[in-house]
């Protein structure tokens, strides 16, 4: 059976990482990898330092992620849930869209988009004092969520792989959906 590499995405504050960690804890032969963790390898930088960088730096970060991930793949045979983002802000306030080539070069075999009520995402971000979260209004969150879905559908179509949208899944629903892919 071929290794599965699922790109799990959704807006910051939707709960991706929690769902992935719950899944990994209860499911053998799966591993979580995050773009942020790959970027922080070998540094003393904080996760928040990866945010709000220039467009040029964000493109460089994507290349580093691909290179480090492919090195990781050479050393590991587990299935992967890649915890990442498709849209991110850069220092000039614009949105950065992860290039198609990044998902292609990560050897993604499916895309899973976690979505939910924009108001819920807004409140989670507002109440999270542990991490630097993007401050966006509910309307902007809805727009970004729709944009993320559109991009993921397009990329999955280009890669000829499945794309699954999960609306506010419980850990059990997330697990069942992942195992069906």
């Amino acid at each position: 059976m071929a290794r599965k590499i699922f790109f799990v995405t959704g807006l910051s504050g939707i709960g991706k990482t929690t769902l992935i960690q719950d899944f990994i804890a209860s499911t053998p032969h799966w591993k979580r990898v995050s773009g942020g963790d790959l970027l922080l390898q070998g540094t003393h930088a904080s996760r928040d330092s990866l945010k709000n960088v220039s467009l040029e730096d964000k493109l460089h970060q994507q290349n580093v992620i691909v290179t480090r991930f492919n090195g990781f793949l050479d050393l590991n045979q587990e299935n992967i849930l890649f915890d990442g983002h498709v849209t991110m802000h850069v220092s000039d306030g614009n949105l950065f869209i992860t290039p198609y080539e990044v998902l292609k070069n990560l050897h993604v075999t499916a895309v899973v988009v976690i979505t939910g009520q924009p108001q819920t995402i807004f409140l989670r971000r507002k109440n999270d004092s542990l991490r630097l979260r993007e401050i966006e209004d509910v309307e902007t969150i809805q727009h970004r969520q729709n944009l993320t879905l559109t991009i993921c559908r397009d990329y999955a179509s280009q890669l000829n792989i499945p794309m699954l949208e999960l609306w506010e899944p419980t850990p059990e629903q997330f697990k069942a959906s992942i195992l069906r892919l």
Side-chain angles (χ1 to χ4, degrees):
M1 180 191 282
R3 175 182 15 208
K4 297 177 181 181
I5 302 172
F6 296 168
F7 185 82
V8 182
T9 192
L11 299 188
S12 174
I14 192 63
K16 306 178 291 305
T17 302
T18 302
L19 288 167
I20 292 170
Q21 289 172 335
D22 288 350
F23 177 85
I24 297 301
S26 66
T27 313
H29 310 296
W30 284 86
K31 203 166 194 65
R32 174 186 175 267
V33 175
S34 88
D37 291 346
L38 290 170
L39 286 172
L40 291 172
Q41 277 181 359
T43 74
H44 298 291
S46 71
R47 183 170 294 279
D48 291 338
S49 71
L50 302 174
K51 300 177 182 182
N52 205 27
V53 298
S54 70
L55 175 62
E56 183 179 302
D57 288 343
K58 191 59 77 175
L59 285 168
H60 175 71
Q61 287 177 347
Q62 301 305 298
N63 290 327
V64 169
I65 288 169
V66 167
T67 300
R68 290 184 177 167
F69 183 69
N70 283 305
F72 173 86
L73 288 180
D74 291 341
L75 302 173
N76 295 277
Q77 295 305 310
E78 294 97 347
N79 296 313
I80 308 286
L81 292 181
F82 191 100
D83 186 347
H85 292 277
V86 173
T87 63
M88 297 160 273
H89 282 103
V90 291
S91 58
D92 66 3
N94 287 316
L95 273 182
F96 172 82
I97 296 174
T98 300
Y100 159 79
E101 292 77 18
V102 170
L103 271 67
K104 179 180 177 186
N105 292 328
L106 292 174
H107 313 288
V108 172
T109 60
V111 176
V112 179
V113 183
I114 309 299
T115 57
Q117 289 289 340
Q119 181 68 27
T120 302
I121 297 168
F122 174 82
L123 291 173
R124 283 183 185 156
R125 289 178 178 180
K126 181 180 173 187
N127 295 326
D128 185 352
S129 60
L130 300 176
R131 292 174 61 187
L132 178 64
R133 298 282 190 173
E134 297 165 331
I135 305 301
E136 297 174 310
D137 62 31
V138 172
E139 184 177 313
T140 302
I141 290 170
Q142 179 66 58
H143 171 75
R144 266 191 70 197
Q145 188 163 249
N146 291 340
L147 178 61
T148 295
L149 280 166
T150 299
I151 293 164
C152 288
R153 283 186 191 109
D154 180 52
Y155 289 0
S157 175
Q158 288 183 61
L159 291 166
N160 196 30
I161 60 174
M163 197 229 54
L164 178 64
E165 177 189 359
L166 297 175
W167 179 266
E168 297 182 358
T170 64
E172 296 78 19
Q173 291 167 332
F174 180 78
K175 182 175 183 174
S177 297
I178 293 297
L179 294 176
R180 273 196 304 270
L181 277 174

